[in-house]
Amino acid sequence: MAVRAKDVTTATPGNGPAVPPGPALRPRTSAKGEQTRARLLAAARTLLAGEGGERFTTRNVAALCGISHGMCHYHFADRTDLIVAVVADIRPDWIAPLEAAVDAPGTFAERAERILALLTQPEGPDLARLHSALHWFALHDERVRVALDAEYRRWRACFVRLFAVLAEERGGGIDPRPLGEAVAGAVDGLAAIQSLDPQLDAAAVLRGLVLALAASTRA
């Protein structure tokens, strides 16, 4: 049976009673170490966006950084570990702005407009290719799939919170989850269609969907 750290006691010098150990101290990462890690993540993003999974190895990432392969593995145990770190690293590029838009003060209509403004901005080609590469790895690596699924759950939760505001404004009686999930699913589908047909007016479609769903909840 494993022993928890807090259950372990350490004897004090002399004949004093055993006392619980203090909290474990984590080794500090130097500023240079943080910079190296950031460089590796940036290089990983570049390779994933540029060439997908074909040439994505820790050795190639290290070479792009101009550092040793061993140093790459000092920061990331293996290729999957690096990819999972990339999944978290791109959160500020697509999830954090959406969270800020929905959680900032305002009415349902005001928050919906902020979200629509974000969603209708064209996604940069590098980020789009990066997402495609991550989806490919998620199909072949369970750890990547779990990490990416957690990010998408966080992303979809933004739409659920949006409709929770509407439910509060109308005094309850509205289940925000299916409404939010419907919009999240539409956003994903429209992104796929727009990649093939740039003439699609995604902004009009999304605005119409959000307004229609909001209207359908009126008593």
Side-chain angles (χ1 to χ4, degrees):
M1 179 177 179
V3 181
R4 295 174 297 175
K6 67 178 182 179
D7 294 329
V8 178
T9 57
T10 304
T12 55
N15 297 321
V19 296
L25 296 177
R26 294 183 178 180
R28 294 182 178 179
T29 302
S30 67
K32 184 176 180 181
E34 288 291 349
Q35 291 173 0
T36 300
R37 189 178 190 277
R39 287 171 57 199
L40 286 165
L41 283 171
R45 291 177 60 158
T46 298
L47 277 181
L48 284 169
E51 302 180 35
E54 294 180 4
R55 293 186 63 246
F56 188 79
T57 64
T58 54
R59 189 175 298 279
N60 285 337
V61 170
L64 185 59
C65 281
I67 66 174
S68 70
H69 188 212
M71 180 58 69
C72 180
H73 281 283
Y74 174 81
H75 290 279
F76 303 99
D78 52 28
R79 185 178 74 166
T80 296
D81 194 32
L82 179 53
I83 296 171
V84 168
V86 169
V87 171
D89 189 62
I90 64 172
R91 185 182 301 152
D93 297 329
W94 67 296
I95 297 179
L98 193 63
E99 290 177 328
V102 74
D103 292 333
T107 64
F108 168 80
E110 291 169 339
R111 298 182 199 214
E113 283 301 321
R114 289 197 296 259
I115 288 176
L116 289 169
L118 282 174
L119 294 176
T120 52
Q121 292 176 5
E123 185 177 47
D126 285 348
L127 187 59
R129 290 193 294 266
L130 183 53
H131 272 121
S132 296
L134 292 174
H135 277 280
W136 185 89
F137 277 108
L139 293 174
H140 300 85
D141 191 309
E142 179 65 11
R143 285 172 57 200
V144 178
R145 187 198 67 77
V146 169
L148 196 58
D149 177 59
E151 294 298 293
Y152 271 97
R153 287 176 185 271
R154 183 168 178 164
W155 181 78
R156 295 198 306 271
C158 294
F159 300 97
V160 176
R161 294 205 298 278
L162 172 64
F163 281 94
V165 173
L166 181 65
E168 185 176 355
E169 289 180 354
R170 297 191 177 167
I174 299 173
D175 184 356
R177 181 162 299 279
L179 299 174
E181 294 283 2
V183 174
V187 172
D188 268 345
L190 285 170
I193 295 172
Q194 199 170 34
S195 68
L196 301 174
D197 180 12
Q199 302 304 314
L200 174 70
D201 191 348
V205 174
L206 284 176
R207 180 169 280 101
L209 175 62
V210 170
L211 293 177
L213 289 173
S216 72
T217 64
R218 294 185 184 277

